[in-house]
Structure formats: C-alpha cells, structure tokens
Amino acid sequence: MVEGSMTQGAGQEPVVRTATLRDFRVPPYARVPVQGHVTEPTPAEPRPTSAAPQPAPAPAGSPPAPAPMPAEPTLHLGRRTAPAYGATAGSSIVSVATGHPGNGYPDDAMPEGYTPTERDLPVINRGDTLQVPVAPETAPATEPAPANGEGPGPLFVVGDVHGYLDELVGALHAQGLIDENGSWAAGNARLWFLGDFTDRGPDGIGVIDLVMRLSAEAAAAGGYCKALMGNHELLLIGAKRFGDTPVNSGAGTATFQAAWLLNGGQKHDMDRLQDVHLQWMSRLDAVVREDDHLLLHSDTTAYLEYGETIEDVNDTVHDILNRNDADEVWDVFRKFTKRFAFRDEGGPQAVQELLSTYGGHRIVHGHSPIPYLLGQVGTEDGEGNSGPVVDGPHVYADGLAIAMDGGVTMAGKLLVVQLPLDR
C-alpha cells in the first residue's frame, strides 16, 4: 500500500536546471522548459492517440477492472514524432545540454558513479556481435501450449515499452499471446516484462493498464503475465510521491520531478496515475530467475549491493519503497540507471558474478537500447535511412547476456521474444 501524501502536478510548471542533469543520460530528443531563457514559442506537436481506450480508475482495494479493447485494434507498428517533453503552453524550449547530446559534464569532471552517455559508447563492429533473428510479425512464432497442458508453458520476455502501446499490442499479437480483441490467448504461456513501461512514449498508463489486465487473464487461463521493476518505475513513483522535495543526488541537489521531466516524463501519464498503479509498481520484483535465465531490467552489477539471494534483493528494494524516504528511493533509482556493465572486455566476468550469486546460465535484460550497444545512432522520428537496425535480441558477453531493449523510442523495435534463444 502506498502511504504518505501524493504530490500532484509534476510536469505542469517549468523546471529550473539543476545538477540533476549530470546524473542521467538525456536522449538527444529530450527537451524541457527551463526558466530564465527567452526564445520564440514552439508550436506543440499533436500527440498520437493510442489504439486502446483506458479504463476508469479502480476503487481502492479492488482488483483492476479489465480494460475495454476495440473490436478491431490497430496492430500496425507506426512511428511517432517525439514531442518536446514536459513543454507547457507559452513556455520556452531549450536543449537540456549543449554540445554532444547527453553531455552534462565536461570531459575532465565526471563524478564517481556517472552513468555513461552516448558520447562514451565505443563502436562495436557488427561482426563482433551475435544477432538472433526473431519470427516475422505477421504470424505467431509458436503455438502456445493449451491451459491444461502438462508442465509450464513457453516463456516469453518483453523489452522496454516506454509508453508505445500500439507497438506493444502489435508485437504481442504477432507472437500469439493476445487475440484480435487484445485478450490473453496464450493458455499457460509465461510472459515477463523487463520494466520501463512509461515515459517518452504516448501512453504509459495505457501500457500499465494492459499489463495489469493481462496478468489477471493469464492467471485464469493457467499461465501468467508478470513484470520487473525498471528505473523508470522508480522514477515515476518518486515523482508522484516526492515531487520537488530535494534529494542528495551525489552530485548536488536534485528532485524526482526534475529528473522525471528530463527523462521523458509525460504530463498526461502523471494526470492519469492512480493509487492502484503506484501500488502495482511498488510491488514489482527487481530480479527473478525463470528456467535457466536470470531476468533483470538494468545491465548493471548494482543488484549485488541489495542482497546475496534473489529474495534478499527484492525484499530490500520493497522495504526501501515502503519506508518512503526520498533519499533512499533516489539511491536505488540512481543505481538502477547504471548500464553497460556487460559489454567490452570485462563484460563476461561481470555477468558471471551475477550468475554465480543468483543462479542461471544467462542474463536477459532491458534498459540499454541495442542501437547504443551496437554503436548505432538512431532518430526518434525514423525519417530517412538513419534509423537503427534491430532485427532481434542482441546476444553478447561471450553469449552470456541477452539485451532486449530494441530502441522503440528511437524508431527501433519493440521486442517480444520466446526463450531460450539458440546461440
């Protein structure tokens, strides 16, 4: 149960530039209003509407009601032009960083624990990485086992969604996990989301509502649909609970609301965020093991700081959220934003450290977009031929790690894949 006062209104006022900029990778397309700058107003770009209407908020303490779905949902994987995130009418829009996108620190002044930005990424040659193809999106890759089948059903994982509800519906339908009405159709199949449901895209709350509904429908059919906690879940929880409360970021004073805006926070998501959504996000686990796979959101070894077993890690993170201390929640958020621990020469050793502690023979993660891991540069609107090429999951670190964030926010691909993958 989420306790304490809820700070409403995140994203409604311009935000003062703070040291928060230094703690996060800010995508090239992210722009926010900043006080004190005079520029010509930028016309607001129309936001695309989702194919799936949203249900009314559920009463406190009651299970979420099934979300209504259109009889003929839109299953196309269209691309959207990114709006100026956090912009309000009449506000000035300026880039959040000068020079190279995401450049919050001069080259000689990066603090300890700094999360690498795009400028830090070495180019990984395509020949050095194993690309695993996935089934075409026009037909299910497999026929999910019936609900009364013996043993567990097939295992599927979903990469970062970031509010792209239409793409999610299309990808789930292509794998035979939902039917043409958007209802669970996979019997006793097992489906895991790797976190980051909101921010940057057009309908983060719609994504959460869909996952919550599918969880109930899958359980009734003998399967399950579950989710992990990503850094953007922690960010949205913090922005709602703590708003402009100052926190010690390790590099000066920051606030959750400012960080949320800088990382693609959407006002319409905050306006529709209800207690039932906060409660659901707060109870998500950080790490799980399914079959022979260790599933987690971020490609970081920071999970080791929260316990020597999977249960310890999840209990510790839940306890921190329940204590409702802004600085403690911020520290978890900051550590879960770290990335790239599994790439380069020391990557296999970092993966082995996690696997030897928590079990499993492969790590499956989201968080770091595959185009970044491959050294590609993507565009948010997908125009021209400069968009990233994502054919499927990225298997790397001597075959020990699978990256699942296809870069849907940069005109990449929202990945829904059945495990295990052949090496």
Side-chain angles (χ1 to χ4, degrees), residues 365-382:
H365 70 85
H367 189 49
S368 291
I370 292 171
Y372 283 4
L373 291 171
L374 295 176
Q376 298 172 343
V377 177
T379 58
E380 184 67 18
D381 56 17

Side-chain angles (χ1 to χ4, degrees), residues 25-31 95-96 100-102 118 372 377-378 380 410:
R25 177 189 66 75
V26 181
Y29 57 84
R31 297 171 181 270
S95 297
V96 297
H100 194 283
E118 185 182 344
Y372 283 4
V377 177
E380 184 67 18
M410 56 184 69

Side-chain angles (χ1 to χ4, degrees), residues 20-51:
T20 308
L21 279 172
R22 305 173 177 178
D23 296 325
F24 306 99
R25 177 189 66 75
V26 181
Y29 57 84
R31 297 171 181 270
V32 297
V34 181
Q35 292 177 349
H37 294 268
V38 179
T39 61
E40 290 297 322
T42 302
E45 297 181 27
R47 297 185 185 275
T49 57
S50 167

Side-chain angles (χ1 to χ4, degrees), residues 278-297:
L278 288 166
Q279 294 163 10
W280 182 79
M281 288 189 293
S282 298
R283 294 167 181 165
L284 297 177
D285 284 337
V287 186
V288 297
R289 189 172 66 245
E290 282 285 351
D291 299 341
D292 217 19
H293 302 89
L294 186 66
L295 309 182
L296 39 81
H297 174 72

Side-chain angles (χ1 to χ4, degrees), residues 127-194:
D128 297 336
T129 182
L130 174 62
Q131 288 294 313
V132 181
V134 294
E137 295 184 347
T138 57
T142 62
E143 190 68 30
N148 58 356
E150 295 182 2
L155 175 62
F156 294 81
V157 290
V158 185
D160 299 33
V161 181
H162 283 299
Y164 284 86
L165 180 60
D166 289 351
E167 284 78 357
L168 175 60
V169 170
L172 293 174
H173 184 266
Q175 290 285 13
L177 294 166
I178 61 175
D179 61 21
E180 64 276 6
N181 296 317
S183 300
W184 181 259
N188 67 345
R190 298 168 292 161
L191 178 62
W192 273 100
F193 286 79
L194 299 180

